[in-house]
C-alpha cells in the first residue's frame, strides 16, 4: 500500500503529464527594499507616515500605531478609529504577543436582538442599523500596545494623522470613485457632510480635509484613550446611538478594554507560524490547515495545479467546519485551541481525504452568514527586527456608514459578525449555533489573521489580508507560496488565490487563476468551481535571509497600496 504522500505524488505526476499548470507564478514584481525598516499597507501615504516614525527612532509598534491612525484618515473604507482589530508582535528575541482590540457587544445586547417587532430575523437590523455597531476597540488597542511596547512619544504617533485630516490630502482616482459611490446612497447627514462638499462629490486630484476627524484625533493625542472613551467624543457617540436606536452608552465606552493574549503558534516544515488567537478564528484555522497539508508533497503537485487546489480545498473544508462548530470569543466559551491546532487532530481530519475525489460538505446545523470584502492589513518591520502584523476593520466597506455627527469618523457594523439568533440556522445561510451569539461584553468571532513567519529563530515574513472568511485562506496560501514554492514575497502576494469555506460547498478562484483544463479536472473530481473577482489585499513584508534586507510587498490588487522603507 502506498503512503498518502506517495499516492499524492503519483496522482500529481499523472495530472501534470495531462496538463501543465496554466500559471505557475504570477508576474514578476520588484519588492521595495530597505536595510532597516519597512511599512507595507493598503494606502501609501499611511505607509510613509509609519516609515517616518521608524526614521525618527520609533520602533515597529510605534510605526504600526502611526500607520493605523493615518489609515483612519486616508483609507476610510477600513482604516478606522470607530472599529477594531488585532495586532500580532514578534520581538527580536523571538518571543511574541498579541493585542486584541476587537469590538465588544454593548451591555444591553442579547442573542435575539436581530429579531424585528414581528419576531422575524432582520438582516438590516443585524448589519445595517445603529444596533449593528459594536463598542469600538482601535483607540484602546493602540493605547495598550504603546504603553506596553512603544518607544516614541504618543503625540508623535497621532499628530501625522491630525495633519492629514486637518490639512487634507489629494484624493486618488480609486478613493474618489469609492467615496462617490458610498456617499451617493447615504441617508446620514453627517456622513454626506464628511464625505462630500455639501453633497457634491469630491473628484480625483482634489484635496479632502476632515476637520471634525482632526479634532477627534486631537482629543486622542491629548488624552490618549480617554480622549475617545470619555469626554466629548464618547458623548457624541452615545448621543448618536440614542438618536438612531443603538445600544452603546457612556458606560459601554468607559468599560472597553483591549486585551493582551498569547499568540497561536504552529509549525510547518520547520517554519514557525505565529498568528492571532480567538476571538479570531484565523490562527487556529491556518495551523489546522497547514498541519493537514504537511503530509502531502504539494511542491510536486505544482502551484495551482488541480491536485494542489483539490488538497487545499479539502483542508479548507475541514478547518472551516471546525471553525463553525468551535470558534468564538474564548472569554465566554471553552474553545479547544490546543486540540484543534494539534498534529493529531490534523491526522484525524486527513483520514477521509481522497486524493482523487472531492468530499461533500454536509450541512448539519451550521451555516455561514454573508460578509463583505472590506478590512485592511498592514505589516511593519523595524531595524532591530521587531515585526508587527495588524489587521483592523469596520466590517463592511465604510462600516455602518454612520459618521458620528461632530466627531467625523465612521462607526463599525461589526455586530454583524455575531450569529443571527438561537435556532435560526437555515439553508439560506443564517447561523444559530450558540458559541457566537451576541451577549453583553462578548467579542464577535473574526477571521482576521495577522500573522508572522519565522525559521530557526529568524524572522521570515509578516503577512495577513482583508477579505472576510477568505482572509484565513489568503494568509495560508502566502505561507505555502513561500515555503513550498520558494516564491519571493512579491510573487507570493501576487499569485492567484483560491477559497473554500466548507459551506457553500464550492471553490472560488480568482479571475485568470487557472486554465479551463484545470477547472475541468477539478470538476471531474467532484468540485464546483467558481472563477472571478479578486481575493484580499495582502500587504506584506519578507526578509532576504542572506542580506537581512526588508522586502516590502504591497498587494498589486489594491491601486493605492504601497510599501515605504527608511
Ligand atoms: O472580523 C472579520 O472577520 C470581518 N469583520 C472582517 C471583514 C472583512 O474582512 C471584510 N473585508 N475585507
Amino acid at each position: 500500500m502506498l503512503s498518502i504522500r506517495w499516492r499524492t505524488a503519483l496522482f500529481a505526476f499523472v495530472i501534470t503529464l495531462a496538463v501543465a499548470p496554466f500559471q505557475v507564478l504570477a508576474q514578476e514584481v520588484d519588492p521595495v527594499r530597505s536595510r532597516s525598516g519597512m511599512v507595507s499597507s493598503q494606502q501609501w501615504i499611511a505607509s510613509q507616515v509609519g516609515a517616518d516614525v521608524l526614521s525618527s527612532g520609533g520602533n515597529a509598534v510605534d510605526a504600526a500605531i502611526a500607520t493605523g491612525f493615518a489609515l483612519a484618515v486616508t483609507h476610510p473604507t477600513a482604516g478606522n478609529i470607530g472599529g477594531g482589530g488585532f495586532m500580532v508582535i514578534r520581538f527580536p528575541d523571538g518571543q511574541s504577543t498579541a493585542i486584541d482590540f476587537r469590538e465588544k457587544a454593548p451591555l444591553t445586547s442579547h442573542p435575539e436582538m436581530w429579531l424585528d417587532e414581528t419576531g422575524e430575523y432582520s438582516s438590516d437590523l443585524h448589519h445595517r442599523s445603529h444596533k449593528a455597531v459594536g463598542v469600538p476597540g482601535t483607540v484602546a488597542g493602540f493605547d495598550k500596545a504603546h504603553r506596553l511596547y512603544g518607544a516614541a512619544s504618543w503625540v508623535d504617533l497621532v499628530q501625522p494623522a491630525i495633519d492629514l485630516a486637518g490639512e487634507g490630502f489629494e484624493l486618488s482616482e480609486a478613493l474618489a470613485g469609492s467615496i462617490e459611490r458610498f456617499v451617493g446612497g447615504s441617508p446620514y447627514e453627517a456622513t454626506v457632510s464628511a464625505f462630500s462638499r455639501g453633497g457634491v462629490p469630491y473628484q480625483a486630484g482634489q484635496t479632502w480635509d476632515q476637520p471634525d476627524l482632526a479634532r477627534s484625533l486631537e482629543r486622542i493625542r491629548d488624552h490618549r484613550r480617554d480622549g475617545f472613551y470619555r469626554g466629548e467624543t464618547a458623548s457624541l457617540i452615545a448621543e448618536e446611538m440614542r438618536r438612531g436606536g443603538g445600544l452603546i452608552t457612556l458606560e459601554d465606552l468607559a468599560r472597553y478594554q483591549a486585551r493582551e493574549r498569547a499568540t497561536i503558534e504552529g509549525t510547518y516544515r520547520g517554519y514557525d507560524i505565529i498568528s492571532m488567537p480567538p476571538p479570531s478564528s484565523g490562527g487556529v484555522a491556518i495551523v489546522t490547515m497547514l498541519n493537514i497539508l504537511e503530509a502531502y508533497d504539494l511542491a510536486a503537485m505544482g502551484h495551482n495545479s488541480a491536485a494542489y487546489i483539490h488538497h487545499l480545498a479539502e483542508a479548507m473544508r475541514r478547518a472551516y467546519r471546525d471553525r463553525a462548530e468551535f470558534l468564538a470569543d474564548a472569554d465566554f466559551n471553552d474553545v479547544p485551541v490546543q486540540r484543534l491546532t494539534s498534529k493529531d487532530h490534523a491526522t484525524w481530519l486527513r483520514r477521509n481525504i481522497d486524493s482523487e475525489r472531492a468530499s461533500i460538505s454536509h450541512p448539519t446545523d451550521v451555516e455561514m452568514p454573508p460578509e463583505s470584502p472590506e478590512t485592511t492589513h498592514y505589516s511593519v518591520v523595524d531595524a532591530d527586527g521587531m515585526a508587527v502584523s495588524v489587521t483592523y476593520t469596520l466590517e463592511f466597506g465604510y462600516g455602518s456608514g454612520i459618521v458620528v455627527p461632530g466627531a467625523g469618523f465612521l462607526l463599525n457594523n461589526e455586530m454583524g459578525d455575531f450569529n443571527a439568533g438561537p435556532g435560526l440556522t437555515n439553508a439560506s445561510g443564517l447561523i444559530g449555533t450558540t458559541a457566537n451569539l451576541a451577549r453583553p461584553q462578548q467579542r464577535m468571532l473574526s477571521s482576521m489573521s495577522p500573522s508572522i513567519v519565522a525559521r530557526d529563530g529568524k524572522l521570515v515574513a509578516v503577512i495577513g489580508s482583508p477579505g472576510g472568511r477568505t482572509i484565513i485562506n489568503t494568509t495560508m496560501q502566502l505561507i505555502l507560496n513561500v515555503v513550498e514554492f520558494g516564491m519571493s514575497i512579491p510573487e507570493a502576494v501576487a499569485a492567484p488565490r483560491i477559497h473554500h469555506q466548507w459551506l457553500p460547498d464550492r471553490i472560488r478562484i480568482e479571475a485568470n487563476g487557472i486554465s479551463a483544463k484545470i477547472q475541468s479536472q477539478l470538476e471531474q473530481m467532484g468540485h464546483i468551481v467558481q472563477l472571478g473577482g479578486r481575493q484580499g489585499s495582502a500587504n506584506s513584508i519578507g526578509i532576504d535571509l542572506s542580506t537581512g534586507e526588508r522586502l516590502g510587498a504591497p498587494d498589486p490588487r489594491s491601486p493605492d497600496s504601497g510599501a515605504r522603507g527608511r
Side-chain angles (χ1 to χ4, degrees):
M1 184 73 175
L2 289 171
S3 70
I4 290 179
R5 222 179 144 103
W6 276 105
R7 268 190 287 150
T8 314
L10 187 61
F11 179 65
F13 182 59
V14 172
I15 290 288
T16 310
L17 288 186
V19 50
F22 162 65
Q23 189 172 10
V24 175
L25 296 183
Q27 73 268 32
E28 294 289 325
V29 213
D30 284 332
V32 177
R33 292 172 183 274
S34 164
R35 293 225 154 260
S36 45
M38 180 70 66
V39 182
S40 178
S41 86
Q42 208 164 334
Q43 210 286 332
W44 64 270
I45 299 172
S47 297
Q48 186 63 57
V49 165
D52 290 345
V53 165
L54 294 176
S55 296
S56 46
N59 67 22
V61 168
D62 296 319
I65 293 166
T67 302
F69 280 127
L71 284 167
V73 180
T74 63
H75 185 58
T77 48
N80 70 80
I81 53 174
F86 303 129
M87 176 184 288
V88 169
I89 306 169
R90 181 180 183 274
F91 301 99
D93 67 359
Q95 300 294 307
S96 63
T97 191
I99 308 291
D100 168 6
F101 52 98
R102 181 71 162 166
E103 297 91 330
K104 294 185 98 170
L107 288 160
T108 50
S109 309
H110 56 93
E112 287 166 0
M113 62 187 285
W114 317 120
L115 307 185
D116 64 18
E117 53 289 350
T118 68
E120 288 295 304
Y121 167 73
S122 161
S123 174
D124 278 349
L125 261 185
H126 193 186
H127 297 284
R128 299 184 187 281
S129 73
H130 283 66
K131 288 197 170 64
V133 183
V135 183
T138 297
V139 176
F142 288 174
D143 176 74
K144 188 167 191 92
H146 181 256
R147 282 182 200 280
L148 290 172
Y149 303 114
S153 108
W154 174 256
V155 169
D156 291 346
L157 308 184
V158 193
Q159 190 61 45
I162 296 171
D163 295 343
L164 283 164
E167 291 161 24
F169 68 99
E170 190 179 309
L171 282 169
S172 69
E173 198 81 46
L175 183 54
S178 162
I179 288 178
E180 183 172 354
R181 287 188 295 279
F182 160 58
V183 83
S186 177
Y188 302 113
E189 214 175 286
T191 302
V192 175
S193 146
F195 283 87
S196 70
R197 280 192 179 139
V200 180
Y202 286 100
Q203 301 299 310
Q206 288 183 332
T207 298
W208 179 37
D209 61 336
Q210 303 170 75
D212 286 348
L213 176 57
R215 280 187 289 276
S216 291
L217 288 164
E218 280 168 2
R219 292 190 283 276
I220 294 167
R221 176 197 62 196
D222 297 343
H223 304 288
R224 304 187 62 116
R225 58 158 287 150
D226 282 354
F228 183 88
Y229 293 95
R230 296 177 188 277
E232 185 172 347
T233 300
S235 297
L236 292 169
I237 295 173
E239 212 171 288
E240 175 59 16
M241 285 289 118
R242 269 194 306 275
R243 200 194 59 70
L247 302 186
I248 299 173
T249 61
L250 288 176
E251 187 184 353
D252 281 306
L253 291 162
R255 281 172 65 147
Y256 184 88
Q257 293 293 336
R259 294 281 309 267
E260 183 171 33
R261 300 190 189 275
T263 48
I264 295 287
E265 308 212 351
T267 59
Y268 183 75
R269 298 202 197 290
Y271 286 78
D272 299 317
I273 313 300
I274 301 154
S275 192
M276 191 68 207
S280 172
S281 54
V284 168
I286 288 170
V287 170
T288 303
M289 292 190 287
L290 290 173
N291 284 342
I292 294 173
L293 292 170
E294 209 169 21
Y296 302 107
D297 192 349
L298 300 178
M301 295 177 194
H303 185 258
N304 282 358
S305 64
Y308 178 73
I309 292 172
H310 167 67
H311 284 86
L312 261 59
E314 293 305 319
M316 291 168 180
R317 183 196 308 280
R318 286 157 177 79
Y320 277 73
R321 204 213 72 85
D322 275 0
R323 174 191 188 276
E325 183 168 352
F326 298 113
L327 284 158
D329 184 348
D331 291 345
F332 286 73
N333 297 277
D334 198 6
V335 182
V337 169
Q338 295 307 330
R339 177 158 73 80
L340 298 176
T341 55
S342 71
K343 303 278 182 195
D344 281 352
H345 184 60
T347 304
W348 165 254
L349 293 176
R350 203 187 299 116
R351 78 197 183 287
N352 55 11
I353 296 180
D354 180 333
S355 281
E356 298 170 34
R357 261 333 276 170
S359 339
I360 293 168
S361 296
H362 290 289
T364 52
D365 58 342
V366 188
E367 281 216 21
M368 309 282 198
E371 269 177 334
S372 90
E374 284 300 343
T375 290
T376 193
H377 175 80
Y378 59 98
S379 304
V380 184
V381 178
D382 69 18
D384 295 333
M386 184 193 268
V388 179
S389 190
V390 180
T391 314
Y392 76 150
T393 188
L394 290 162
E395 164 61 347
F396 286 3
Y398 303 97
S400 62
I402 301 165
V403 165
V404 179
F409 62 86
L410 282 159
L411 291 167
N412 67 83
N413 62 332
E414 218 76 52
M415 296 287 279
D417 278 350
F418 280 119
N419 293 350
L424 281 185
T425 305
N426 71 18
S428 67
L430 288 187
I431 177 166
T433 45
T434 51
N436 186 41
L437 289 172
R439 298 184 185 89
Q441 298 280 289
Q442 182 163 331
R443 290 177 157 97
M444 53 297 282
L445 181 64
S446 174
S447 299
M448 292 187 288
S449 314
S451 301
I452 296 174
V453 182
R455 188 186 168 101
D456 299 331
K458 293 204 171 82
L459 179 66
V460 171
V462 186
I463 55 176
S465 179
R469 279 185 297 273
T470 67
I471 292 171
I472 302 169
N473 288 332
T474 295
T475 308
M476 191 220 13
Q477 285 167 86
L478 290 168
I479 297 169
L480 294 177
N481 290 349
V482 169
V483 174
E484 291 286 349
F485 300 99
M487 292 187 201
S488 70
I489 192 78
E491 288 168 342
V493 168
R497 299 172 184 142
I498 75 145
H499 176 68
H500 193 297
Q501 59 176 45
W502 181 53
L503 291 170
D505 189 352
R506 59 164 187 242
I507 306 175
R508 270 176 24 208
I509 303 177
E510 284 188 301
N512 301 322
I514 55 165
S515 66
K517 272 190 179 163
I518 289 180
Q519 176 170 359
S520 132
Q521 286 175 332
L522 286 165
E523 286 165 353
Q524 280 162 26
M525 295 162 102
H527 291 287
I528 294 168
V529 179
Q530 246 180 19
L531 278 172
R534 65 185 174 94
Q535 182 175 318
S537 178
N539 305 292
S540 303
I541 299 174
I543 305 294
D544 180 332
L545 290 177
S546 54
T547 63
E549 258 186 328
R550 283 77 168 113
L551 310 174
D555 198 317
R557 292 164 183 78
S558 303
D560 293 338
S561 65
R564 293 291 182 274
R566 55 140 308 209

